[in-house]
Structures are given as structure tokens and as C-alpha cells.
Amino acid sequence: MKTTCYLILLPTLLSLAACDLLQSRDHSITHNPPTTEPVAELAAEPPPSTEPPILQIDTGGHKAKIKDVVFTPDGRYLVSAGNDKLIRVWDVESGRTVRTLRGQISAGDEGMIYAMALSPDGRWLAAGGWTSDNEIRFYNFTSGQLVALLKGHTNVVLSLAFSPDSRFLVSGSFDKNAIIWDVQQQQQLHTLQGHTKEIYAVAFTPDSKRVVTGSDDHSLRLWQVQDGGLIATLQGHTDKVQAVAVASDLQGFGNLEGLNGVIASGSEDYTIRLWDGQTGRFIKTLANQGTKVGSLSFSPDGRYLVSGVGSAPPHCHVWSIPDGKEIVTYRSHDNVVIATAVSPDGRLVATGGGNNQAIHFWSWRDGNTLQRLKGVGASTWAVGFSADGKTLAWGKTRKISGINNMGPLKYSITLPTAERSLTHPRPLATKKSNFNRAQDQWRDWTLRHRAGGNYGYQDAILEIRNQNSTQASIKRGSTDGYGHRSYTFTPDGQRIISGGGAGVLTAYNRDGSKLGDYVGHTSDVWAVAVSPDGRSLASGSDDQTVRLWDVETRENLLTLFHGSNGEWVAWTSSGHYAASPNGDKMVGWQINRGVDKAADYIKAAQLRDYLYRPDVIDATLRLRSVKQAIAQTKAHFNLARLQQESLPRFQITSPRGNSKVTKGVVPVVLKIATNTQAIQSFSVYVNGRKVTPQGVRNIPRLIKSHQRTLEVPLETGKNRIKIRAKNRLGTTSAAVTAHYDGASQIREGTLHLVSIGVSAYPNLPSDKQLGFAAKDAQALHNTLATQAKKRYRKVNPVLLSDNQGKSPTKDNIKAALANLKAKPADTSIVFLAGHGVNLGKDYYFVPRDARYSGDKIVADSLVPWQVLQNAVANAQGRRILLIDTCHAGNAFNPRLLQDAANKNVVVLSATDADSISRERKELGHGVFTYALLEGLKGRADMLPDGGKIMFKELDTYVSHIVSQITENRQRTVSQASGQGFEDFVFVQL
């Protein structure tokens, strides 16, 4: 029978799919595992799945305890694996994930990785942990294919190691046995029996003839590989043996150089011991590090040993061999570290762990941190509601002052009403004391926890007390979260809600009887809070999310992930979401295809046409029901489609990443998967510029593996080529970077300039009139019109303003936008200055002829944002929106930036959702346009590049000046900083 070995239960991304490489891997990066660049075999359309999709978050790093790290033989990559069910391959130089390996998972323990090993020749990767039949997943590391399942253990696999000659693999298990496997045949050779407790550490000696195993029974054992015979039992440790390493080079051992390897063992007794790798003879106690030893790794020359840590304080150490002198204490982790490795050249130490599961690269010589590999997520330690219940707040900083106060509130989001949509996360500005957090007291009733239960946790029992007399108690164990990590009364005092380990979140009556669970979190729930009206519950978890629940029905209304990079995504159980421009790339669904098959992973961004529905989010929170919200908004989408249908599946097979090409039109060769569903269209972008290469049209129904070549024109220098394919389900993108030194084949063509400014509104009240919007449009129009024969071959300008050009009426604006007939070499710029308004979920520009009916503006008299967006997005070439329309407060709609990002449209907007665009009489312009004009005159030109003002230069300058002039009361936003954005010359002085 299986026994739960770990408490952190985070079912996160673990699938290896050809599709995953195609959808997620950046082909512009030539950071690939050794020998050859890994190009996964393009699989045919997968068979239907019988399992429902599992929603996952991909933060760009690990989300749970890291169990193993290992460098590839050439030192270019680091491979890591952990309890979040994910294997990542990192480029050492850039610190970016270049590949993920994913396998069968479930909503519970299945898929957790407890051990991982890479063969010394770089060919094979093995991973073990909590799997359906305790099998070891065996991968071809170069191709990423799952080639075998090694079955033989009767409980979870806890440790793995390859022999130095890459011929053998050894595995240790919770079943107290170790198994030696033949790598070539992928078959079991010997079962090593004798330990009386689980085996957490295994290793080979340098000659590949002996295996050492370390166990919780406090001993090590040395075995013959040839016949599995026991050579010796190594005794001396007084606690569990958690780590083993063997020196393959004995330069550091002085008179011990005649030994055939030296074994180092680390234990929870705090000691590191050395043993003879030939006989098992005890050599010496190398060190006592004062904490549990979590991991051990020798330097390649055997002169130094790195030790990880399994208890506080979380310091790693470097010891010299054989004298045991401590060379370095590494103090930069903030929690246990049980994964260590040393690079093949001996320069870098890699250690993985800490509260936010970061991998640190550091120097063993001085302990200086060189780089951190981590995602943008962090555990949520605090949640709270504002006194009026309209704002939800949370914090991601651990600063414990009590079990119900694990850290401060730092961020907030305003919940929707009938007049206002859900806002984006922002730093908390109001007093934190105005927020309601967990309440462990109600009148004469109090809650307190104490130790107890079968596992000895300090919070295993929650006592419900009245006037210091215990009225009831709630005990937790392995099936319901082990302990009470956070708890609160509801405002009426009649219920108690408690968050526990492993994602357990439960409601109880005051007599201790259970009401039911709030199901959704996947790891420890550190914080809970109930809204002042008692209707909503907020919870924060180690799974890095904030969740909002209906207290009565226990329905999960909303889940929010907020990254350290400012990107965010919020979603309902139906999969509908709202997000920042790149937030929907951080969440998706895994579709299992069976234990022995690759799983698929589909990002929310790929299903955007169906699921990007901020209106569903708003309706869900107002109606307190996902089902009712979908019915009201008619946003029906059956996630079961993901089990039956597949997205476009294709690879860019040529050119290879970062290659140099000699011709200005490069053939981009696409390999499209066997029997894939019909691809309806391809979109092609070069450095963000939409182009139409030959080979895009007339896409047939694909019956067999198909190859298509697109002739793509290039610019001089670096070219990031992005291909997006669409079918009836959604989209898939792939990208490749090519370098071209010849004359640009995408010459700057026409600048299509539409400048719209409205100051006077004849049909609107006097307080709606503006001072400078028309003047702003005229000034920008005149400035950019001078770019004819400087940056652009010619300028095709259209001005719509109160005083010059055509009148900015609704019909004239729509006609001007409809005439944007840009070609691939062209650039389109649309500038808007005037009022913008939100009506429900939709955003509108207010034209000169807008009118009121009573005290409300008439929607039919406005220009819908979608008209503006589509006109720009449907043009070819480069597309730019400059927006100064937020003169009316709260007129900024987050969908504006999300839509623009999806269409590769560059946006620079005067305000965010929380500030208004300001006019200053002394400037003669709106603040945003004033900064824009000053920047275009040359003030934004920060680089010595011949008078070229790059868009990022302009963005930076305008943002700084607007913030400075308005004393940070107005903040610009741009959609020009996402992954893959290539900067470009905006104007030439």
C-alpha cells in the first residue's frame, strides 16, 4: 500500500509533449542540451482523452520543493525536477527555461517527482516519484521522448543515479529496496534487499562496479553491480541518511588516492562521513554542519564537497577534502535546500530550494550569488477585505507574527459592481488597518491551536473555546491537511473556516461538526478572511494563488495569480478569464493521454477567442455563480472539447534558431502534424510587423504529415519571425530568429497617420468640454508628418480635429479608419485625444457628435473600441496606437492592452485604470501629449545612434516625464514589453 511521503501536494505542469515543445519553446534560442539541438518528433493528432483537463499555472519556475538538479555534460544546461510535477531544462547563460518535460498527473499526488537523474553521456533522463504503478519514466533527453516505463518497485521511487559509464541506473524506493537497471535494454538486473527503511540516497562508484545506498534506517550499504551482492553495511550515523555522493576524481584525498572512489554520506544527525568506495571502510567524520544534511555534491576534481540543508538555518556549505575545513557558507536561501550540483568545469554551484523554490548559481570560492533561476510566482501569506467589502487585498511576503498573521497585505484589486469592472492588481495604497483579516475571536468565543494527532504537528488540533473552556476540538491528520494553518470565525460567529495542508480548506459549525470543503487549492492554505457581509471567503496558499469563494455554497468564484513581473490572470472554474497583456500565457490546461504517452498542455492564450471574457468574471462575482454568469453572457464553451480536439500542431524546421541567412527572403519551412485538424489561417510577423509571405493562402485539409514553405522577407540585422496558425479550436505560435546582413527586403514604406482630437462637444454638458485635445492631435499630426523621406518614404496623413482637417464625427472617424490600407512595409499610427468612456464591459471613444439622453450618454453615438482595434489590427506592417482618451475617470479598459497584445499592436496610453489624463494650461497641451512631443523633438534620444528615436526610448521618456509633471498621479502604460517584442525606430531626427 502506498504511503504519503511528503506534505506539499502541488499538482503542477508535468507532461512531455511534442506539442509542448512547439507551443512553448522559443526557437530563436540555440540553448539546447548537448550533442544536438533537441527537436521533438512531431506527433500525429493524439487520440481522444478520457480524463478532464487539469488547470495548471506555469510561472516560469518551480512552484514546489525542488528535489534534484543536475548539469548537462557540457555545462550549458541545468535540469531540475520537483514536487510540482515538472522537469525544467534551463539555459545556464540566460537563466531561461528552454524546455519542459511533462507526464501523466492527477489532481492529487500522482505526478510528483521525488527523484531525477541525467546520464553522464547526456543521452538519458530518468524521473521517479508518485506514479500509478511506481514506474520510472525513462526519456531520450535529446529528443525529449518518453521511451520506456521501468516497472519493478512496489512503492514510490525516492532516489535515482546513473553509473559513470551510463550503462546502469539505480533506484531507491519507499519499498525499502533498490533496483539496478540495464540502461540499454531498459530492464531490471538486480533487486537489492536488506534495508529496513526507505532509501533516499543512491550513487555509483567511479568504476561503475559498485552501488551505495543510504536509508532512513541510519545505515548505508555497498553492493556489487555485477550480481547485486552485498559488500558491506556502513554504520555510524545516528539518524536518517538523506544524501550520498561519490568522488570520481581523488586529487583532493592525498594519501587516499589509491581508493576506488570515496563515498560521502549526509544524515539528519547533522554529520557528513567519508567511506572507502572499494570496501565500505569508515574513513572519518568530515564535518558536523549543525543542521540536517539535505544533499551532497563533489566538485569534479574531488577537492571540495557542497552540502545542502534540511533544517534551519538554511545555509549551504562548501568543505575542503580531506581535512573538512569549511571554505564557504552560502546564506542566500530562506528555507531548506535538498538539491545541489556542481558544474562540470567546477565554476558554479547550483542549489535549489527556499520559500519560493529558486535555483541559485553561486561561486564556491566566495559564496557570491551569480544568478537566480525562478518563476514570477510566490506563496500568498496574507488576505483581507476592505471594511466596505469592495476591495480584496493580499500579500506575498512572509513575516510571521502569529498563525493568522503570516505577513503584511501588499496588493489589492477592486471587485466589480454593476457600473465597474474588476480592476487590475495594484499596490495597496490605503491603510492596511482598514482591512478585515482572520478573526479568531467572536464575543466570548475564541479559537486556538495546539499540538497533537498522530504526526505531532504543532497545529494539528483546533480548539473552539467559550470563556476559556474548550467546547469542541477539530483534529486533522493525513487525510485532511495534517494541521490548521489558518482559521477564522465568520462575522456572525456561527461558522469556523480553517485552511490546512495540501490545499484543504473546510467550513465547520461552531460545535466542530463539518459543513464541507472549499475545493481548489493544491497546497497549504496560509491565510483566510471573510468579507464583512459574511458572503465571501478569501484564501491565500502556497500554490501562489488567491481564491475567492461563496461562503454558503462553497463555490470557487475566482482564482487570481499575480506575478512579480506585474502580469496577472484571474479565472473562473469554467476557464473564462481576464488578464494582463501576457498574463494568459501563465495558465493553461494539461490533457493526459495515458501513463505511457505524452500529455498535452494548452495555454489559455491559445483559446483566447473563446475564453478571454472579463464580462464573465464580472458577472460571476456579481451573481455569485459561474453557471448563472455564463447563461447571462452567453459565453458557453465546453472544456471537454480539449479532450477531443487539438490545436494546430506544427514545427519550424528551417531556419534553425539564431542562424545566419544570406538571402533577404528566407524560406521558412513548416512541418505540420499528421492528421491534424484543418488549419484555417497563418499569420506571419517579422519583428512585430505583419507581413504576407508567399505560401500562406490555400491551406488544404491535411490528411498526412505535410510540409509547407513560407517565403518571408527580412530586415537588415536581427529578425524575429513569428508564425501563428489558427484552426477552429484556437491558435498555436512558433518563432525563430534569423540574422541577415544584406539590404532590407522590408523597406520603410508609407506612414499612414490618423490623428483624432476632440475638445468641443456641442451636445454634451459644459463640464465635459476639453481644452487641448484638438490642439494635441494637430501638434502630433504636424510633428509626424515631417517624417516623409526621413524615416518613411512618404506620409499619408489624415487629421480629424475641431479646428483643422475634417470634423471628428463618428462617421468621419470610422471612414478614416476604414481607409487604413497599409502594406507589409508600411506603418500605421492612430492617435486619439478626447474623452473615453466605459459602458459596462465595453470601451468607447467619444466623437464630436456624441449626444446625451437625459443624464446618460447614448452608446449608438460613440465609436466602439472594437472598431478602432480591428481597423489597426487588420492593417499589415507595423501598427501603433497612441491613446490620450482617458480624460474621464475610470475610462481605461484593461481589454485594450490585452486585445492589442494578441494582435501584435503596439500601444502607448496616457493612463492606467486608476488615473486620469491631465491637461496643463502652462504646457498648452495635455501632459501626455506634451511629453510625447518633447520626446519626438529629440529629448527621448538617449543613444548615440544617428538621431534614431527607438520606441522603447520614447516609452521610457514619456513615462518618466508624465509621472514627474503630475507627481505620480498619472501613469502611462504600454503594450510593447512582452516576450518577443523587438524594438524599432519610431522617428528619425
Side-chain angles (χ1 to χ4, degrees), residues 47-93:
S49 171
T50 59
E51 300 183 26
I54 301 173
L55 192 142
Q56 304 289 294
I57 302 169
D58 187 351
T59 70
H62 285 290
K63 293 173 59 249
K65 186 178 291 183
I66 300 170
K67 300 309 296 286
D68 277 306
V69 293
V70 60
F71 285 92
T72 55
D74 61 2
R76 294 172 61 196
Y77 305 93
L78 183 82
V79 189
S80 59
N83 285 3
D84 63 359
K85 309 183 181 183
L86 179 68
I87 298 173
R88 288 185 177 272
V89 182
W90 306 81
D91 174 68
V92 170
E93 183 177 351

Short mmCIF file of all heavy atoms in Angstrom, two decimals, residues 47-93:
data_model
loop_
_atom_site.label_atom_id
_atom_site.label_comp_id
_atom_site.label_asym_id
_atom_site.label_seq_id
_atom_site.Cartn_x
_atom_site.Cartn_y
_atom_site.Cartn_z
N PRO A 47 -4.91 10.67 -29.69
CA PRO A 47 -6.22 10.06 -29.53
C PRO A 47 -7.03 10.84 -28.49
O PRO A 47 -6.46 11.55 -27.66
CB PRO A 47 -5.88 8.65 -29.01
CG PRO A 47 -4.56 8.81 -28.34
CD PRO A 47 -3.83 9.83 -29.15
N PRO A 48 -8.34 10.73 -28.51
CA PRO A 48 -9.15 11.43 -27.51
C PRO A 48 -8.77 11.02 -26.09
O PRO A 48 -8.34 9.90 -25.85
CB PRO A 48 -10.59 10.99 -27.85
CG PRO A 48 -10.53 10.57 -29.28
CD PRO A 48 -9.17 9.99 -29.48
N SER A 49 -8.91 11.95 -25.17
CA SER A 49 -8.61 11.67 -23.78
C SER A 49 -9.88 11.34 -23.03
O SER A 49 -10.95 11.89 -23.32
CB SER A 49 -7.94 12.89 -23.13
OG SER A 49 -7.82 12.72 -21.74
N THR A 50 -9.78 10.44 -22.07
CA THR A 50 -10.93 10.10 -21.24
C THR A 50 -10.93 10.87 -19.93
O THR A 50 -11.84 10.73 -19.12
CB THR A 50 -10.93 8.59 -20.94
OG1 THR A 50 -9.71 8.26 -20.26
CG2 THR A 50 -11.05 7.78 -22.21
N GLU A 51 -9.88 11.69 -19.70
CA GLU A 51 -9.76 12.43 -18.45
C GLU A 51 -10.03 13.91 -18.70
O GLU A 51 -9.63 14.46 -19.71
CB GLU A 51 -8.37 12.26 -17.86
CG GLU A 51 -8.01 10.81 -17.54
CD GLU A 51 -6.64 10.72 -16.90
OE1 GLU A 51 -6.20 11.70 -16.27
OE2 GLU A 51 -6.02 9.66 -17.03
N PRO A 52 -10.69 14.56 -17.76
CA PRO A 52 -10.95 16.00 -17.92
C PRO A 52 -9.66 16.81 -17.86
O PRO A 52 -8.70 16.40 -17.20
CB PRO A 52 -11.86 16.33 -16.73
CG PRO A 52 -11.57 15.27 -15.71
CD PRO A 52 -11.25 14.02 -16.49
N PRO A 53 -9.61 17.96 -18.52
CA PRO A 53 -8.42 18.82 -18.46
C PRO A 53 -8.14 19.26 -17.03
O PRO A 53 -9.06 19.47 -16.23
CB PRO A 53 -8.79 20.00 -19.35
CG PRO A 53 -9.91 19.51 -20.21
CD PRO A 53 -10.66 18.52 -19.39
N ILE A 54 -6.86 19.41 -16.71
CA ILE A 54 -6.44 19.84 -15.38
C ILE A 54 -5.80 21.22 -15.51
O ILE A 54 -4.79 21.38 -16.20
CB ILE A 54 -5.43 18.85 -14.76
CG1 ILE A 54 -6.06 17.46 -14.66
CG2 ILE A 54 -4.96 19.34 -13.40
CD1 ILE A 54 -5.08 16.38 -14.22
N LEU A 55 -6.40 22.21 -14.86
CA LEU A 55 -5.88 23.57 -14.96
C LEU A 55 -4.58 23.69 -14.18
O LEU A 55 -4.48 23.24 -13.05
CB LEU A 55 -6.91 24.57 -14.45
CG LEU A 55 -6.59 26.03 -14.79
CD1 LEU A 55 -7.87 26.79 -15.12
CD2 LEU A 55 -5.87 26.72 -13.65
N GLN A 56 -3.58 24.31 -14.80
CA GLN A 56 -2.26 24.46 -14.21
C GLN A 56 -1.75 25.88 -14.40
O GLN A 56 -2.15 26.58 -15.33
CB GLN A 56 -1.27 23.51 -14.90
CG GLN A 56 -1.68 22.05 -14.88
CD GLN A 56 -1.57 21.46 -13.49
OE1 GLN A 56 -0.48 21.33 -12.95
NE2 GLN A 56 -2.69 21.10 -12.91
N ILE A 57 -0.84 26.29 -13.53
CA ILE A 57 -0.16 27.57 -13.65
C ILE A 57 1.29 27.31 -14.00
O ILE A 57 1.92 26.44 -13.40
CB ILE A 57 -0.23 28.38 -12.34
CG1 ILE A 57 -1.68 28.60 -11.93
CG2 ILE A 57 0.48 29.71 -12.47
CD1 ILE A 57 -1.82 29.15 -10.53
N ASP A 58 1.81 28.04 -14.96
CA ASP A 58 3.23 27.96 -15.30
C ASP A 58 3.84 29.34 -15.07
O ASP A 58 3.66 30.25 -15.86
CB ASP A 58 3.43 27.53 -16.76
CG ASP A 58 4.90 27.27 -17.08
OD1 ASP A 58 5.76 27.59 -16.24
OD2 ASP A 58 5.18 26.74 -18.16
N THR A 59 4.57 29.46 -13.98
CA THR A 59 5.13 30.76 -13.59
C THR A 59 6.49 31.03 -14.20
O THR A 59 7.07 32.09 -13.99
CB THR A 59 5.28 30.82 -12.06
OG1 THR A 59 6.33 29.92 -11.66
CG2 THR A 59 3.99 30.42 -11.37
N GLY A 60 7.02 30.05 -14.94
CA GLY A 60 8.38 30.18 -15.47
C GLY A 60 9.42 29.57 -14.57
O GLY A 60 10.61 29.57 -14.89
N GLY A 61 9.01 29.02 -13.43
CA GLY A 61 9.93 28.38 -12.49
C GLY A 61 9.19 27.34 -11.69
O GLY A 61 7.99 27.11 -11.88
N HIS A 62 9.89 26.71 -10.76
CA HIS A 62 9.25 25.68 -9.94
C HIS A 62 8.32 26.31 -8.91
O HIS A 62 8.55 27.42 -8.43
CB HIS A 62 10.31 24.82 -9.24
CG HIS A 62 10.98 23.85 -10.16
ND1 HIS A 62 10.32 22.76 -10.68
CD2 HIS A 62 12.23 23.81 -10.67
CE1 HIS A 62 11.15 22.07 -11.46
NE2 HIS A 62 12.32 22.71 -11.48
N LYS A 63 7.28 25.53 -8.53
CA LYS A 63 6.28 26.00 -7.60
C LYS A 63 6.20 25.16 -6.34
O LYS A 63 5.35 25.40 -5.48
CB LYS A 63 4.91 26.02 -8.26
CG LYS A 63 4.78 27.04 -9.38
CD LYS A 63 3.47 26.90 -10.11
CE LYS A 63 2.28 27.09 -9.20
NZ LYS A 63 1.51 25.88 -8.96
N ALA A 64 7.04 24.16 -6.23
CA ALA A 64 7.07 23.31 -5.03
C ALA A 64 8.48 22.81 -4.85
O ALA A 64 9.37 23.08 -5.67
CB ALA A 64 6.07 22.16 -5.16
N LYS A 65 8.68 22.06 -3.79
CA LYS A 65 10.02 21.65 -3.40
C LYS A 65 10.81 21.03 -4.57
O LYS A 65 10.35 20.14 -5.25
CB LYS A 65 9.95 20.64 -2.26
CG LYS A 65 11.30 20.26 -1.67
CD LYS A 65 11.14 19.29 -0.50
CE LYS A 65 10.50 19.98 0.68
NZ LYS A 65 10.40 19.06 1.86
N ILE A 66 12.02 21.56 -4.79
CA ILE A 66 12.91 21.04 -5.84
C ILE A 66 13.68 19.87 -5.26
O ILE A 66 14.35 20.00 -4.24
CB ILE A 66 13.87 22.15 -6.32
CG1 ILE A 66 13.07 23.33 -6.90
CG2 ILE A 66 14.85 21.60 -7.35
CD1 ILE A 66 13.92 24.56 -7.18
N LYS A 67 13.59 18.72 -5.94
CA LYS A 67 14.19 17.51 -5.38
C LYS A 67 15.57 17.20 -5.96
O LYS A 67 16.41 16.59 -5.28
CB LYS A 67 13.26 16.29 -5.62
CG LYS A 67 11.89 16.44 -4.99
CD LYS A 67 11.96 16.82 -3.52
CE LYS A 67 12.60 15.79 -2.64
NZ LYS A 67 11.73 14.63 -2.42
N ASP A 68 15.81 17.55 -7.21
CA ASP A 68 17.11 17.27 -7.83
C ASP A 68 17.45 18.33 -8.85
O ASP A 68 16.57 18.85 -9.55
CB ASP A 68 17.11 15.90 -8.52
CG ASP A 68 17.37 14.75 -7.56
OD1 ASP A 68 18.40 14.80 -6.85
OD2 ASP A 68 16.56 13.82 -7.50
N VAL A 69 18.74 18.65 -8.97
CA VAL A 69 19.27 19.47 -10.05
C VAL A 69 20.52 18.78 -10.58
O VAL A 69 21.25 18.14 -9.83
CB VAL A 69 19.61 20.91 -9.60
CG1 VAL A 69 18.36 21.67 -9.23
CG2 VAL A 69 20.59 20.91 -8.43
N VAL A 70 20.77 18.90 -11.89
CA VAL A 70 21.96 18.30 -12.49
C VAL A 70 22.35 19.09 -13.72
O VAL A 70 21.49 19.55 -14.48
CB VAL A 70 21.70 16.81 -12.84
CG1 VAL A 70 20.56 16.67 -13.84
CG2 VAL A 70 22.96 16.14 -13.37
N PHE A 71 23.65 19.30 -13.92
CA PHE A 71 24.15 19.96 -15.12
C PHE A 71 24.28 18.94 -16.25
O PHE A 71 24.57 17.76 -16.02
CB PHE A 71 25.53 20.57 -14.86
CG PHE A 71 25.50 21.84 -14.06
CD1 PHE A 71 25.63 21.81 -12.68
CD2 PHE A 71 25.35 23.07 -14.68
CE1 PHE A 71 25.63 22.97 -11.93
CE2 PHE A 71 25.34 24.24 -13.94
CZ PHE A 71 25.48 24.19 -12.56
N THR A 72 24.08 19.40 -17.49
CA THR A 72 24.38 18.56 -18.63
C THR A 72 25.90 18.44 -18.76
O THR A 72 26.65 19.27 -18.23
CB THR A 72 23.79 19.15 -19.93
OG1 THR A 72 24.27 20.50 -20.08
CG2 THR A 72 22.28 19.16 -19.88
N PRO A 73 26.40 17.42 -19.44
CA PRO A 73 27.85 17.19 -19.51
C PRO A 73 28.65 18.36 -20.04
O PRO A 73 29.80 18.56 -19.63
CB PRO A 73 27.97 15.96 -20.43
CG PRO A 73 26.69 15.24 -20.26
CD PRO A 73 25.65 16.31 -20.06
N ASP A 74 28.06 19.15 -20.93
CA ASP A 74 28.80 20.29 -21.47
C ASP A 74 28.62 21.55 -20.61
O ASP A 74 29.19 22.60 -20.92
CB ASP A 74 28.38 20.58 -22.91
CG ASP A 74 26.90 20.94 -23.05
OD1 ASP A 74 26.21 21.01 -22.00
OD2 ASP A 74 26.44 21.14 -24.18
N GLY A 75 27.83 21.47 -19.56
CA GLY A 75 27.65 22.59 -18.66
C GLY A 75 26.77 23.71 -19.17
O GLY A 75 26.60 24.72 -18.48
N ARG A 76 26.18 23.54 -20.34
CA ARG A 76 25.37 24.62 -20.91
C ARG A 76 23.97 24.68 -20.33
O ARG A 76 23.30 25.70 -20.39
CB ARG A 76 25.26 24.44 -22.43
CG ARG A 76 26.59 24.60 -23.17
CD ARG A 76 26.42 24.22 -24.63
NE ARG A 76 25.46 25.07 -25.32
CZ ARG A 76 24.92 24.75 -26.50
NH1 ARG A 76 25.22 23.61 -27.08
NH2 ARG A 76 24.07 25.58 -27.07
N TYR A 77 23.52 23.58 -19.74
CA TYR A 77 22.15 23.50 -19.26
C TYR A 77 22.11 22.92 -17.86
O TYR A 77 22.99 22.15 -17.45
CB TYR A 77 21.29 22.63 -20.19
CG TYR A 77 21.34 23.12 -21.60
CD1 TYR A 77 22.27 22.62 -22.50
CD2 TYR A 77 20.51 24.16 -22.00
CE1 TYR A 77 22.37 23.12 -23.77
CE2 TYR A 77 20.60 24.67 -23.29
CZ TYR A 77 21.53 24.15 -24.16
OH TYR A 77 21.63 24.67 -25.43
N LEU A 78 21.07 23.28 -17.14
CA LEU A 78 20.78 22.68 -15.84
C LEU A 78 19.39 22.07 -15.93
O LEU A 78 18.46 22.70 -16.44
CB LEU A 78 20.80 23.73 -14.73
CG LEU A 78 20.57 23.16 -13.33
CD1 LEU A 78 21.87 22.58 -12.77
CD2 LEU A 78 20.02 24.24 -12.39
N VAL A 79 19.25 20.85 -15.44
CA VAL A 79 17.95 20.17 -15.42
C VAL A 79 17.49 20.10 -13.97
O VAL A 79 18.27 19.77 -13.08
CB VAL A 79 18.05 18.76 -16.02
CG1 VAL A 79 16.67 18.15 -16.18
CG2 VAL A 79 18.78 18.78 -17.35
N SER A 80 16.23 20.42 -13.73
CA SER A 80 15.69 20.42 -12.37
C SER A 80 14.33 19.74 -12.35
O SER A 80 13.61 19.71 -13.35
CB SER A 80 15.56 21.85 -11.84
OG SER A 80 14.69 22.62 -12.67
N ALA A 81 13.99 19.18 -11.20
CA ALA A 81 12.70 18.49 -11.06
C ALA A 81 12.24 18.58 -9.62
O ALA A 81 13.05 18.71 -8.70
CB ALA A 81 12.82 17.03 -11.49
N GLY A 82 10.91 18.48 -9.42
CA GLY A 82 10.43 18.60 -8.06
C GLY A 82 9.00 18.17 -7.87
O GLY A 82 8.36 17.57 -8.74
N ASN A 83 8.49 18.52 -6.70
CA ASN A 83 7.15 18.12 -6.30
C ASN A 83 6.05 18.82 -7.09
O ASN A 83 4.88 18.48 -6.95
CB ASN A 83 6.93 18.42 -4.81
CG ASN A 83 7.65 17.43 -3.92
OD1 ASN A 83 8.35 16.55 -4.40
ND2 ASN A 83 7.48 17.57 -2.62
N ASP A 84 6.40 19.81 -7.91
CA ASP A 84 5.38 20.46 -8.73
C ASP A 84 5.11 19.70 -10.03
O ASP A 84 4.44 20.21 -10.91
CB ASP A 84 5.75 21.91 -9.02
CG ASP A 84 7.03 22.05 -9.83
OD1 ASP A 84 7.65 21.03 -10.16
OD2 ASP A 84 7.41 23.19 -10.13
N LYS A 85 5.68 18.49 -10.15
CA LYS A 85 5.39 17.57 -11.25
C LYS A 85 5.98 18.03 -12.57
O LYS A 85 5.50 17.67 -13.64
CB LYS A 85 3.87 17.37 -11.40
CG LYS A 85 3.20 16.99 -10.10
CD LYS A 85 1.72 16.73 -10.27
CE LYS A 85 1.08 16.38 -8.94
NZ LYS A 85 -0.34 16.04 -9.04
N LEU A 86 7.03 18.82 -12.49
CA LEU A 86 7.61 19.41 -13.69
C LEU A 86 9.12 19.20 -13.73
O LEU A 86 9.80 19.33 -12.72
CB LEU A 86 7.31 20.91 -13.69
CG LEU A 86 7.85 21.72 -14.86
CD1 LEU A 86 7.14 21.33 -16.13
CD2 LEU A 86 7.66 23.21 -14.59
N ILE A 87 9.62 18.87 -14.92
CA ILE A 87 11.06 18.87 -15.18
C ILE A 87 11.35 20.05 -16.10
O ILE A 87 10.71 20.22 -17.14
CB ILE A 87 11.50 17.56 -15.85
CG1 ILE A 87 11.24 16.36 -14.93
CG2 ILE A 87 12.99 17.62 -16.21
CD1 ILE A 87 11.50 15.03 -15.57
N ARG A 88 12.32 20.86 -15.69
CA ARG A 88 12.69 22.03 -16.49
C ARG A 88 14.13 21.90 -16.95
O ARG A 88 15.00 21.44 -16.19
CB ARG A 88 12.54 23.32 -15.67
CG ARG A 88 11.12 23.74 -15.42
CD ARG A 88 11.05 25.09 -14.73
NE ARG A 88 9.68 25.51 -14.55
CZ ARG A 88 8.97 26.21 -15.44
NH1 ARG A 88 9.54 26.59 -16.57
NH2 ARG A 88 7.73 26.53 -15.21
N VAL A 89 14.39 22.33 -18.17
CA VAL A 89 15.74 22.44 -18.70
C VAL A 89 16.03 23.92 -18.85
O VAL A 89 15.35 24.64 -19.59
CB VAL A 89 15.88 21.72 -20.06
CG1 VAL A 89 17.31 21.82 -20.56
CG2 VAL A 89 15.45 20.26 -19.96
N TRP A 90 17.05 24.39 -18.13
CA TRP A 90 17.40 25.81 -18.09
C TRP A 90 18.68 26.06 -18.88
O TRP A 90 19.61 25.28 -18.81
CB TRP A 90 17.65 26.26 -16.66
CG TRP A 90 16.59 25.99 -15.67
CD1 TRP A 90 16.35 24.81 -15.02
CD2 TRP A 90 15.63 26.91 -15.16
NE1 TRP A 90 15.31 24.94 -14.15
CE2 TRP A 90 14.85 26.22 -14.20
CE3 TRP A 90 15.37 28.26 -15.40
CZ2 TRP A 90 13.81 26.84 -13.50
CZ3 TRP A 90 14.34 28.88 -14.70
CH2 TRP A 90 13.57 28.17 -13.76
N ASP A 91 18.72 27.17 -19.60
CA ASP A 91 19.96 27.63 -20.20
C ASP A 91 20.77 28.33 -19.12
O ASP A 91 20.29 29.29 -18.50
CB ASP A 91 19.67 28.59 -21.36
CG ASP A 91 20.93 29.20 -21.91
OD1 ASP A 91 21.73 28.47 -22.51
OD2 ASP A 91 21.13 30.41 -21.71
N VAL A 92 21.98 27.86 -18.89
CA VAL A 92 22.79 28.39 -17.79
C VAL A 92 23.13 29.86 -18.01
O VAL A 92 23.10 30.67 -17.08
CB VAL A 92 24.06 27.54 -17.60
CG1 VAL A 92 25.04 28.21 -16.64
CG2 VAL A 92 23.69 26.14 -17.10
N GLU A 93 23.44 30.22 -19.24
CA GLU A 93 23.88 31.59 -19.51
C GLU A 93 22.74 32.59 -19.36
O GLU A 93 22.89 33.63 -18.72
CB GLU A 93 24.46 31.68 -20.92
CG GLU A 93 25.00 33.07 -21.26
CD GLU A 93 25.63 33.12 -22.64
OE1 GLU A 93 25.82 32.05 -23.26
OE2 GLU A 93 25.94 34.23 -23.10
#
